[in-house]
Amino acid sequence: MGCKNTEFLTQCHCDNRLSALPLFLYLWLLATDLKRLLPLLLIFLFFASFSALPQGQAPGIITGNLLDEKSKAVAAATIELVNLADSNSAVKTTTTDKDGNFQFTQLVFAVYRLKISSIGFQPLKIDSIQVRMERFDFNLNDILLHPAAAAELNEVIVYAEKPLIQSRDGNITFNAAESALSAGSSASDLLKNVPLVTTDPNGKVLVRGKEPKILIDDKPVELNVQQLQDLLESLPGSSIEKIEVLTNPPPQYANEQGGVINIVTRKGKVGMGGRINLTAGTRGEYGISGNFNYRKNKLALNLTLGSGYNIFNGEGYSKRENVYADSTNYFNTTSQYRNTSTRPNARFNLDYELNKQNAFNILLQYNQNNFNNRSGNTFLNMNRFMIMTRSSRRAVRTEGQSINPNLNFTW
């Protein structure tokens, strides 16, 4: 009772050494009618789908995007990927799309070099990208190309890898933007990968077992547990630069026993993108959220809209026997409750760079909570002959609404 929805994620790794046909025949013999056969067929089809997947695929991923000095996307650039550990391996080649994005997948563990060339720009090499078991996905954000000069020189950059997780003075930083896999996650998913951060059964975010102060871009987020969870599930991982866990927070948050979690957002890739999330829980919880992002030249905007809904029903009872020197009576209690809430939320963020020294940001956040809670209790007094001597009933209803708008302008 009182537990928030738990989502179940299943990861399957199948060896497929057993033949699926004998298993199917065995399940068929066990089934005596269609109602028993149908769920068994679904199970068979689920596992059979994995048999079609190629086994032992290389997991390496390198992705990135190209920009010129005016923050415009460089399209149709040629990207070559060379395996420095194996001179006999074929060179992988691709071109950037209209938004300057490129991607290499299914890379074996090795050290790689990127060669970038485009008409009107200086060639660029990025050396020493090491794809390995503990780090197999790399997101090279905003690779800058310089215009071709009269005396053209090949520019070589030795890639300085930034760890996914950094620790300093008791504070931990999770560099989400370094991982290409963040694009398919939400802020809530990324928090599960950060050391010291956990969630309780109600979905409350905890650091070392205590509730922290949540900041987004250094600005406090004043939301209840459910509203915060809705917001974190709505924020796409591709919009997050890093997550900082400050167990030694700055002076203004020194009284926060759980420390501070600061989620730092980023501008995202050039172009237009979007995403829609649908969630459902085992205890009457539903949610929908959408995200739209756009970036071109010096303008970047991000819009997130969502709404969460839950309906919790429960009941309970207690039976108590009171024994006295001259008599015995019984006190029985039954209770029921029904709690519902609707939580729309919105977040709009706009960044514009006027020049290298000046930029401004507009951040608008809106959160609302509409709740309607009902509960009822029945009390019965019984004598030793189990005859009711007293009865009472209590009904309680609570409903209300909270609205939390927030506007920030930063120059």
Side-chain angles (χ1 to χ4, degrees), residues 59 121 149 163 208 306 312 320 357:
F121 295 94
R208 292 178 175 174
F312 290 164
R320 187 170 63 189
Q357 290 78 30

Side-chain angles (χ1 to χ4, degrees), residues 271-283:
M272 184 184 303
R275 138 180 204 168
I276 295 178
N277 300 319
L278 297 174
T279 59
T282 57
R283 296 194 60 207

Side-chain angles (χ1 to χ4, degrees), residues 219-339:
K219 301 175 180 67
V221 177
E222 303 296 344
L223 303 174
N224 63 32
V225 174
Q226 291 181 328
Q227 288 176 320
L228 178 61
Q229 189 172 11
D230 294 336
L231 177 61
L232 294 178
E233 291 176 351
S234 301
L235 282 177
S238 58
S239 68
I240 296 176
E241 177 72 25
K242 59 184 177 180
I243 299 176
E244 300 172 325
V245 181
L246 309 178
T247 56
N248 296 316
Q252 62 267 36
Y253 302 113
N255 293 329
E256 300 291 338
Q257 295 184 354
V260 171
I261 294 179
N262 184 31
I263 301 174
V264 181
T265 60
R266 66 188 183 99
K267 297 179 180 179
K269 292 185 177 182
V270 174
M272 184 184 303
R275 138 180 204 168
I276 295 178
N277 300 319
L278 297 174
T279 59
T282 57
R283 296 194 60 207
E285 292 193 343
Y286 308 93
I288 181 172
S289 63
N291 174 266
F292 172 80
N293 57 82
Y294 176 78
R295 181 183 178 191
K296 185 176 182 181
N297 299 342
K298 299 179 180 181
L299 173 68
L301 60 89
N302 191 295
L303 174 64
T304 300
L305 299 172
S307 181
Y309 172 79
N310 71 268
I311 175 170
F312 290 164
N313 292 304
E315 59 184 14
Y317 67 91
S318 69
K319 295 183 178 180
R320 187 170 63 189
E321 179 181 359
N322 300 313
V323 179
Y324 302 101
D326 57 347
S327 65
T328 300
N329 64 36
Y330 302 87
F331 183 69
N332 298 339
T333 304
T334 58
S335 62
Q336 306 85 30
Y337 71 87
R338 179 185 179 93
N339 300 333

Side-chain angles (χ1 to χ4, degrees), residues 154-212:
N154 289 342
E155 184 178 2
V156 179
I157 299 175
V158 177
Y159 178 65
E161 178 182 326
K162 182 184 291 185
L164 286 179
I165 298 176
Q166 295 176 299
S167 178
R168 183 178 181 182
D169 299 330
N171 297 328
I172 293 175
T173 300
F174 176 68
N175 296 305
E178 290 290 306
S179 173
L181 301 181
S182 297
S185 306
S186 66
S188 180
D189 297 329
L190 294 179
L191 276 173
K192 297 174 184 177
N193 298 320
V194 181
L196 306 182
V197 179
T198 58
T199 55
D200 69 3
N202 293 321
K204 181 184 296 184
V205 178
L206 303 174
V207 174
R208 292 178 175 174
K210 298 180 180 179
E211 187 175 0

Side-chain angles (χ1 to χ4, degrees), residues 52-67:
L53 296 176
Q55 299 298 307
Q57 273 193 356
I61 301 173
I62 297 177
T63 183
N65 62 298
L66 303 184
L67 300 177

